[in-house]
Amino acid sequence: MHYVGVDLGATNVRAVVGDETATVLGSDSRGTPRGPNGIAVTEAVLSVVRGACANADVDPSTVTAAGIGSIGPLDLAAGVVQGPANLPDTVERIPLVGPVSQLLDTEEVYLHNDTIAGVIGERFHADRNPDDMVYLTISSGIGAGVAVDGNVLSGWDGNAGEVGHMTVDPHGFMTCGCGLDGHWEGYCSGNNIPEYARELHEEDPVETVLPVEDPDFSAVDVFEAAGEDTFADHVIDQVAHWNAMGIANVIHAYAPLVVSVGGAVALNNPDRVLDPVREKLADMVFINVPEIRLTALGDEVVVKGALASALTAGTGDRSRVENPP
C-alpha cells in the first residue's frame, strides 16, 4: 500500500509518497504561488502530488490515504484553507481535501494545520512516543502543534495551536499579517522580522549595515549581520525577548516535557534563536521548564507528519502501524 503526505506552506509546497513503514519512495516540491487566487495554490498541490507519485512509480489512483499539513486558518468541514494570513489577500480560499481526494480516488484524506502535522511527525518518528510535547514552527509564520496526555489537540475547526496570534505586546507596536496588533508572529516570524527592524530603526535611526530601506530587505540580512553590526544584534535581542515570552506562554498553557522547534528561521539560525530563549526561560516560567530542542526531522517534519497521519488514519497513533519506525 502507498500513502501521500503534503506540506503546504506560505513559501513552498511539497509532497511525498511512502509505503506502510513510512519510508519515502518519491517526492516533489515547488514554490507556493502567490496568486492570482486560491485555485492556483490548489493546482500547485495537485502538481507536486502527481510529481511525487511519478517519482515513486505509483499510480495516484492506487494510493490508500493522504495527509495534508497546511498553513491556516482551516475550515475542516469544507476541507479548505480560508483567508491565509501569509499569502496575498486575493488568495481567499484554497480547496484541498476535495481535489486531492478526487486525484487519488480515495476518501481517506486528512487535513491538519501544518504544526499539528509537525507534532504528529515528531511523535511518530521519536524513539519514545512523548505524550506531552509541543512542536513549534518559527518560519514565515509562527504556530504550534500540541500533544497533551497522548492526545494531539486539533480543535473542532482544526485551528488549535495558532499561538503566533497570541498577544505578547499589549501596546501593539507591530501589526501582524492577520491585521491585528501585538501578536507574537508580528515580531518574530521570517516575514515580519524585517518589518520590525524597520520600525525599530525609524524610532532610533542609528548607523547600520542593514539595508532597511531596500524593498528586498529580509530576515536573512539581519541574521547574517549579527555579531558584526550593533543594530542587527539589537534586533535579534528584541526578537529573542518576544520568542521567550511566547514560548513561556505555551509552556504555561500546555506543560510539555519537550518543545521541539522547526521552521526556516529556527533551523537556519539555531544558536541565535534557541540559545537566548533557553537562557531567559528560567526567569519567565513558573512551572517546570521543558527541554527546548531543534527538530531532528529538519524541514521535512511537516511532510513526514502528514505522511504519518495518512498511515494512522489521521491520529498520529503509532499503535495503528504494524512496524512503526
Side-chain angles (χ1 to χ4, degrees), residues 162-284:
E162 288 283 3
V163 299
H165 300 284
M166 287 179 171
T167 299
V168 293
D169 178 13
H171 301 292
F173 182 72
M174 292 298 297
T175 299
C176 181
C178 72
L180 300 178
D181 295 335
H183 288 185
W184 180 8
E185 188 172 299
Y187 299 78
C188 301
S189 71
N191 283 354
N192 288 315
I193 286 173
E195 297 302 322
Y196 184 36
R198 286 192 180 102
E199 292 295 330
L200 290 173
H201 193 259
E202 186 173 329
E203 279 207 331
D204 185 11
V206 298
E207 184 176 347
T208 178
V209 300
L210 294 181
V212 291
E213 303 300 329
D214 189 330
D216 294 327
F217 174 47
S218 71
V220 173
D221 297 319
V222 177
F223 285 101
E224 285 184 344
E228 299 179 2
D229 183 85
T230 301
F231 179 68
D233 289 341
H234 173 63
V235 173
I236 288 173
D237 286 345
Q238 292 302 302
V239 168
H241 167 75
W242 300 118
N243 275 334
M245 185 178 293
I247 291 174
N249 287 342
V250 170
I251 293 167
H252 287 130
Y254 302 113
L257 290 171
V258 174
V259 176
S260 181
V261 186
V265 174
L267 290 172
N268 292 326
N269 311 281
D271 294 343
R272 298 195 183 277
V273 173
L274 297 189
D275 285 355
V277 169
R278 294 186 184 105
E279 292 171 4
K280 294 173 183 289
L281 282 181
D283 295 327
M284 302 176 75

